[in-house]
Each structure stands twice: as structure tokens, then as C-alpha cells.
Amino acid sequence: MHQLLTDKITAFAATRWQEWMTYLKGMSLEDIQALLDRYSALGPLPGILLPLAESLLPFLPLIVIVVGNALSYGLWLGFLYSWIGACCGSVVVFMLARRFGSRYGERIRKRMPRMERFFSWVERKGFTPIFILSCLPFSPSAIVNIASGISKIPLHTFVIAIIMGKAVMIFTLCFLGHDLNALVHQPWRLLIAAAILAALWFAGKKLEGRYVG
């Protein structure tokens, strides 16, 4: 009887967890704005916590979160809150990787031989790859944070590269997304936005293919 109850609870929890994960992965811009509006009494906290959570749960839609912040808080505050959250989240992942890297670092690298070039690139160049990849919204940021934590890169080097790179990436997204009506009514702005995002996607894929794939 006890085992049957335990199995039912486990199955229910697993189902609810799967449903929650599916919802989070598929969050739309309207969902993000509704969430921010619901917790608007908390001030900037939701706008900071959402991009921070994306660093820990990389399947969350960062671009949608950043644009949602820009629409809800305005260009500059939306940028600031997204920037703070994304940078803090990256540092948290870096510190976790550094904390447990001595125990699991070699095991991770052995299980991911295709990424050895990427780990070597990060360790050899330090600031440059972290900064470049942080500028690109389509780059594997979770892998960058973990690889940096496992490596011997000093914390201050990582923090400076993340702060600068995330600033470029997040401001670009906020600037493009903070006034969606203008994009709709001025097609040339929409074309420029699409061209910029396509260029960032292409650059991210090229770097990912060279060093991660």
C-alpha cells in the first residue's frame, strides 16, 4: 500500500514537472509580460530574477525575457534589470562550476570530447572568447559559463568579460524590441532588426561549429 502511494505521488510529481517544463520552454512574449505585470508590486525583482533564472535553466527563452523586460520597464530600466540578472546568473553558474570542477571537471571533459577545442580556446584566450560569445544572443552561454568555471581563468577576468559582453547583447535586444509598434509601422526598422539578429545568429553558429561542434 505504501509503495503504491509512493509510486502515485512520484508519477504525479513527474507529470506536473514535465508540464511545467513544457510551459517554461514555450513561454511567449505575452506570457512574460503577464508574469511581470502580475508581480509588478515587487518592483525590479521579477525583471532581474527572470534572466538570472535563464542562466540556471538555459532552456528558458532569454530573448523573449529581455524584450519583455524592455516592453514592461522601458528601454533603459529593462536593459538594466536584464543586464544585472544575466550577469549575476552567469557568475553563479561560474562559481558552481569552479566549486565542483575539481571533482567533476575532468569527467565532464572526457564525456564531451567534441568540446575539447572549446575548452582549450577558453583556457588559452581567456577574456576574448568569453566576451565575444557573451555578445551573441544565440551562443551557448551555459557552456561558456561552465567551461570558464572549470578552467583556470581568474574570476575577475570572467566577470569583466561577462559584464561587457552581456551589455552589448542585452542592449541590442532591448533597443530592437522595446518599441514593437515602430517595427510594425516602419518596415525598414523591421528589416534592420531581422538583419542584425540574422548576423548575430550566423556569427554564433559559426563560433559554435568551430569550437563546440
Side-chain angles (χ1 to χ4, degrees):
M1 182 66 179
H2 181 268
Q3 182 62 41
L4 180 61
L5 180 61
T6 301
D7 291 343
K8 287 184 176 180
I9 293 174
T10 302
F12 175 78
T15 301
R16 295 297 296 172
W17 174 258
Q18 186 62 40
E19 291 175 353
W20 182 239
M21 289 298 102
T22 302
Y23 168 74
L24 290 176
K25 290 178 183 179
M27 287 183 79
S28 66
L29 184 58
E30 290 75 18
D31 294 329
I32 296 293
Q33 288 187 275
L35 188 63
L36 292 171
D37 290 340
R38 189 181 311 157
Y39 297 102
S40 59
L42 298 176
L45 199 57
I48 294 173
L49 291 179
L50 276 175
L52 191 155
E54 187 276 336
S55 298
L56 302 171
L57 304 170
F59 54 78
L60 292 176
L62 178 62
I63 294 176
V64 177
I65 291 172
V66 171
V67 173
N69 271 350
L71 289 172
S72 297
Y73 296 104
L75 172 60
W76 293 106
L77 287 179
F79 159 71
L80 180 63
Y81 300 156
S82 296
W83 185 37
I84 292 172
C87 290
C88 289
S90 294
V91 172
V92 168
V93 175
F94 175 92
M95 295 303 295
L96 289 173
R98 180 136 300 182
R99 172 67 178 82
F100 298 104
S102 57
R103 185 181 306 176
Y104 302 108
E106 286 302 318
R107 189 181 306 176
I108 292 173
R109 296 180 72 150
K110 287 179 180 178
R111 289 188 176 184
M112 305 173 76
R114 294 179 59 193
M115 288 185 54
E116 187 57 39
R117 283 185 300 171
F118 177 74
F119 283 112
S120 299
W121 184 41
V122 170
E123 286 190 334
R124 189 172 65 255
K125 298 295 184 179
F127 176 90
T128 302
I130 298 171
F131 170 74
I132 292 174
L133 290 171
S134 296
C135 290
L136 305 173
F138 301 100
S139 64
S141 58
I143 296 175
V144 174
N145 298 333
I146 293 171
S148 301
I150 293 174
S151 72
K152 298 178 181 179
I153 295 172
L155 174 61
H156 70 272
T157 300
F158 175 80
V159 170
I160 293 171
I162 284 293
I163 287 175
M164 295 176 64
K166 294 291 185 186
V168 173
M169 182 265 287
I170 290 172
F171 183 78
T172 301
L173 294 177
C174 286
F175 181 75
L176 294 176
H178 82 284
D179 190 357
L180 295 179
N181 287 329
L183 293 181
V184 173
H185 293 100
Q186 297 177 341
W188 63 270
R189 292 184 63 174
L190 184 61
L191 291 174
I192 292 175
I196 292 174
L197 290 176
L200 291 173
W201 177 85
F202 180 75
K205 287 299 179 182
K206 287 288 287 185
L207 287 172
E208 184 177 350
R210 181 174 181 181
Y211 293 105
V212 180

